[in-house]
Amino acid sequence: MTDQHSTLRAQRRSETQRMIQAHAVRLFTERGYDATAVTDVAEAAGVSPMTVYRHFPTKEDLVLFDRNGRIVGERIAASSTARPLVRRIGDALIESATTLTGGGHGDDPTADERFLLARLRLMISTPALRAKHLDNQYVLQRAIVDGLGDEVGDPDTMFRTQAAASACLAAMHMAVMRWAEDDGRSDLPDLIAQAFAAAFGDSLFGADPDA
């Protein structure tokens, strides 16, 4: 029973976070990030400012918060250790993008794609968010390392893992920027796969997932 209650609490917390963030992104898009206060977000979401801060400690978090790190870490932890490290990281990032965009294909954007695109536009156009967005890259790199668990057991392995993660994240960043410039008309996971193929070669990121 305790586990069930914990699961229900986690679900309610997640639903509240999504609801608050949806209102925040909408208001920031309509009114401008600097012109919208946290109290405005709280009023639109029908909660208290304290509730907003409990879920999002800073105003920037209302835009920057996502599930990407958790999803990527889970995908890497479940991946085969027989595969090249860069491929494992790349596949996890592609799979996470597929989850976050709701499996859309660009021509008919899903609600998840529209929400992600709105967040990206805010990050690109708002100086304070651009700086914080770089911090998110370090958080995602940490999630990748944590997903590998005991495989990263010494300083040399840690260095190689961080280098591989940084290279993958740089390639993904270019794909995400292209997707935003394209107004989300392209398929984001496909763009990320193309970026990885360009960076690491078709032999590693070809059409065959088992290559």
Side-chain angles (χ1 to χ4, degrees), residues 6 10 24-25 29-30 39 46 49 55 69 84 93 102 109 113-115 118 123 134-135 144 172 182 193:
S6 297
V25 170
T29 299
E30 293 174 354
T39 52
H55 291 280
L93 292 170
E113 284 182 306
R114 291 192 295 271
F115 176 69
M123 292 178 205
L134 295 177
D135 292 340
I144 291 169
M172 185 184 74
D182 199 31

Side-chain angles (χ1 to χ4, degrees), residues 90-170:
D91 283 349
L93 292 170
I94 292 169
E95 290 169 13
S96 177
T98 300
T99 299
L100 293 175
T101 56
H105 297 287
D107 292 337
D108 186 20
T110 65
D112 289 335
E113 284 182 306
R114 291 192 295 271
F115 176 69
L116 180 57
L117 188 59
R119 287 181 56 233
L120 285 172
R121 285 172 173 160
L122 285 167
M123 292 178 205
I124 294 168
S125 63
T126 309
L129 294 177
R130 282 202 301 269
K132 287 286 186 178
H133 177 57
L134 295 177
D135 292 340
N136 266 19
Q137 295 293 84
Y138 291 109
V139 172
L140 190 49
Q141 182 189 87
R142 184 70 253 175
I144 291 169
V145 173
D146 290 345
L148 292 166
D150 293 340
E151 295 178 55
V152 186
D154 59 78
D156 288 342
T157 304
M158 174 68 77
F159 172 74
R160 289 193 298 270
T161 300
Q162 290 173 331
S166 295
C168 287
L169 291 174

